[in-house]
Amino acid sequence: MQNRYAIEQLIEAGVWISQKGWVPATGGNFSAKTDSGFVVTASGYDKGQLAPEHFLQFDCHGQIESGTGKPSAETELHLSIYQLVADATCVLHTHSVAATVLSRFIKSDTLTITGYEMQKSLTGILSHEETLQIAIFDNDQDIEQLAEKVALRYQRNPLYHGVLIRGHGLYAWGRTPSETRRHLEGLEFLFACELERIKLEATL
């Protein structure tokens, strides 16, 4: 997609995501593929008040082509997702309470979800009876190393819809910005349901 359109889509998504409370303070980062590479939010800006000057343009190898400001520290992870998932054109990274807490509560490397009708909001999931598996990765300030871990996991077992970073949040992707928003909203709903279910079971 063209740079201008990609940025417009991400600004619109930022307002919507901020209203949901999923990117507190200056948390989160968003990106979208363009004709020459991808655009990504610069670091340190409120994602609910983004403007065109808050984006950097990178080529398909992760080299800055244009824009000012500090690149998001997690740009390398966005690039890795685009390289791994051929049809992904947008990545939205959020910091919701449910995603952050669940990723710490679940001790294994996978969050398993089944039984929810909302699972069908995710492309390829046709029934609540299917088992949805969301990979969880330990947080790492070395983003290049974290990206390598995601790539190694993907090579063993392809990842779909999104991944969780422990104590950090969700990275959701899709074939279009609108599909990515649908995946993000569906996953966040499922995470909130699971968190409530776990809390209720603890009281029984």
Side-chain angles (χ1 to χ4, degrees), residues 45-87:
Y45 294 104
D46 183 336
K47 303 309 181 295
Q49 300 183 39
L50 293 171
E53 60 267 25
H54 299 152
F55 291 84
L56 299 166
Q57 170 71 45
F58 288 79
D59 65 20
C60 59
H61 303 293
Q63 299 300 310
I64 295 179
E65 290 188 329
S66 63
T68 58
K70 180 182 177 182
S72 168
E74 291 146 38
T75 300
E76 185 74 24
L77 193 48
H78 287 255
L79 174 62
S80 180
I81 291 169
Y82 290 132
Q83 291 174 336
L84 294 168
V85 187
D87 60 359

Side-chain angles (χ1 to χ4, degrees), residues 16-30 92-104 111 163-172 183-193 195:
W16 172 72
I17 292 169
S18 181
Q19 290 171 346
K20 297 284 189 180
W22 295 338
V23 281
T26 59
N29 39 74
F30 315 142
L92 300 174
H93 169 45
T94 52
H95 292 234
S96 75
V97 171
T100 304
V101 173
L102 267 182
S103 66
R104 293 193 65 189
L111 170 61
V163 297
L164 284 167
I165 308 300
R166 207 177 302 279
H168 189 164
L170 168 68
Y171 281 82
H183 287 169
L184 173 63
E185 187 168 24
L187 287 168
E188 289 288 3
F189 177 86
L190 292 168
F191 296 161
C193 286
L195 190 57

Side-chain angles (χ1 to χ4, degrees), residues 120-185:
K120 294 181 348 188
S121 67
L122 306 174
T123 299
I125 304 296
L126 304 178
S127 169
H128 67 284
E129 296 179 340
E130 293 188 43
T131 298
L132 176 66
Q133 294 186 319
I134 302 298
I136 304 175
F137 297 89
D138 289 336
N139 197 13
D140 194 328
Q141 297 305 303
D142 185 336
I143 301 301
E144 185 175 344
Q145 182 170 281
L146 177 58
E148 289 177 0
K149 291 177 182 177
V150 173
L152 287 172
R153 178 87 172 262
Y154 187 92
Q155 290 166 9
R156 296 197 307 269
N157 189 20
L159 306 169
Y160 300 99
H161 313 116
V163 297
L164 284 167
I165 308 300
R166 207 177 302 279
H168 189 164
L170 168 68
Y171 281 82
W173 60 79
R175 295 170 296 183
T176 64
S178 61
E179 182 178 80
T180 306
R181 285 173 60 164
R182 174 162 54 82
H183 287 169
L184 173 63
E185 187 168 24

